[in-house]
């Protein structure tokens, strides 16, 4: 009678335990969340991520530009938030210059006092690319008013502020480049050549009240025979509406 062989039990192989490592994902903006609320959450987690979060906001929803400009210069905004937010505006302007110029135009058209806010942010950032894009946006706003047969005085007031001594030089130059080439056109150039240097503001009286830190500045004149440089000029069409409103963020309260 055959004896049954004893079979030694084989050790059961155990699968290696997967390490529970999850890559940290960036904060996502909740549906319906205000831009200011979102940036405050980002600041609470990682202040250095604010600039990239701002750039992302403007790429996803360019209409937030007005709210972000308002937050950046508000007295109640924490200094770190304001500084990083302005870096983000510069990044967005460099990546999407035409889109940001269009939104700056819409913000300027929504409320006269917003022009001073745009210029203030450009001055605080001390960024040539952002100043140029904002200058193009203000030129687009002024040209839109003129082309639509709107208030010429308002268009002139935008120009008075954009070319004032308080505005960054890059902003003023970009504004004039785009205004002269887009709005004046061949007729304006011919008129300047025939009549010599002339005031191109149309009016030196500014209707801006409350927002006019630049209202007293003298208008810029165009010298006859001097063509506007075209190196920074972009073809920008208006998608602006005058219904844009600035957001008041809880971070300011």
């Amino acid at each position: 009678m055959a004896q049954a062989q004893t079979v030694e039990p084989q050790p059961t192989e155990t699968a290696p335990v997967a390490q529970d490592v999850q890559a940290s994902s960036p904060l996502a903006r909740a549906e319906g969340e205000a831009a200011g609320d979102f940036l405050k959450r980002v600041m609470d987690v990682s202040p250095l991520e604010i600039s990239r979060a701002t750039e992302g906001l403007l790429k996803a929803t360019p209409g937030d530009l007005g709210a972000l400009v308002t937050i950046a210069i508000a007295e109640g905004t924490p200094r770190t938030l304001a500084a990083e937010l302005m870096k983000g505006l510069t990044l967005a302007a460099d990546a999407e210059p035409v889109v940001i110029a269009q939104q700056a135009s819409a913000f300027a058209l929504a409320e006269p006092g917003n022009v001073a806010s745009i210029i203030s942010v450009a001055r605080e950032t001390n960024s040539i690319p952002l100043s140029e894009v904002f200058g193009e946006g203000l030129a687009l706003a002024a040209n839109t008013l003129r082309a639509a047969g709107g208030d010429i005085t308002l268009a002139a007031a935008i120009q008075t502020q954009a070319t004032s001594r308080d505005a960054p030089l890059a902003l003023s130059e970009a504004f004039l480049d785009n205004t002269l080439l887009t709005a004046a056109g061949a007729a304006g150039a011919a008129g300047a050549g025939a009549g010599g240097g002339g005031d191109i503001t149309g009016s030196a009286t500014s209707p801006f009240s409350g927002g006019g830190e630049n209202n007293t500045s003298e208008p810029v004149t165009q010298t006859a025979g001097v063509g506007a440089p075209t190196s920074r000029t972009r073809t920008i069409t208006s998608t602006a509406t005058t219904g844009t409103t600035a957001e008041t963020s809880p971070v300011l309260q």
Side-chain angles (χ1 to χ4, degrees), residues 53-65:
T54 299
E55 181 186 11
L57 281 179
L58 290 174
K59 286 183 177 180
T61 52
D64 283 332
L65 177 68

Side-chain angles (χ1 to χ4, degrees), residues 1-243:
M1 181 175 177
Q3 295 181 347
Q5 295 181 348
T6 303
V7 178
E8 296 289 338
Q10 298 296 321
T12 304
E13 294 185 0
T14 58
V17 178
Q19 294 182 349
D20 188 17
V21 177
Q22 295 181 349
S24 58
S25 58
L27 286 172
R29 183 181 186 180
E31 184 177 355
E33 184 178 25
D37 291 339
F38 171 61
L39 292 181
K40 185 178 184 300
R41 286 201 297 111
V42 175
M43 184 176 69
D44 291 342
V45 175
S46 179
L48 296 180
E49 292 294 320
I50 294 172
S51 59
R52 290 200 297 177
T54 299
E55 181 186 11
L57 281 179
L58 290 174
K59 286 183 177 180
T61 52
D64 283 332
L65 177 68
L68 296 175
V69 166
T70 301
I71 294 170
I73 61 173
E75 292 183 0
T77 301
R79 182 174 299 180
T80 299
L81 175 58
E84 292 298 319
L85 195 161
M86 289 184 186
K87 288 181 184 178
L89 291 175
T90 301
L91 291 173
D94 188 58
E96 301 286 347
V98 173
V99 173
I100 299 303
Q102 289 173 337
Q103 291 303 314
S105 173
F107 186 49
L109 290 172
E111 171 61 42
N114 292 341
V115 176
S117 297
I118 290 172
I119 292 172
S120 178
V121 166
R123 187 172 60 246
E124 289 293 324
T125 58
N126 195 29
S127 164
I128 290 178
L130 182 63
S131 291
E132 289 177 350
V133 169
F134 277 177
E136 292 164 358
L138 292 178
L140 178 58
N143 292 343
T144 298
L145 288 171
R146 293 187 179 104
D151 193 330
I152 301 302
T153 306
L154 284 174
I158 292 176
Q159 181 158 329
T160 298
Q161 295 193 67
T163 56
S164 71
R165 294 186 181 93
D166 289 333
L169 180 60
L171 186 150
S172 298
E173 289 180 344
F175 178 90
L176 288 174
D177 289 351
N178 284 267
T179 300
L180 292 173
L181 293 174
T182 307
D199 182 358
I200 61 174
T201 62
S203 171
T205 303
S206 173
F208 287 74
S209 59
E213 58 180 335
N214 306 316
N215 290 348
T216 59
S217 300
E218 297 178 358
V220 172
T221 59
Q222 172 70 11
T223 304
V226 179
T230 59
S231 60
R232 291 182 304 277
T233 304
R234 282 177 270 265
T235 302
I236 303 174
T237 56
S238 175
T239 58
T241 62
T242 56

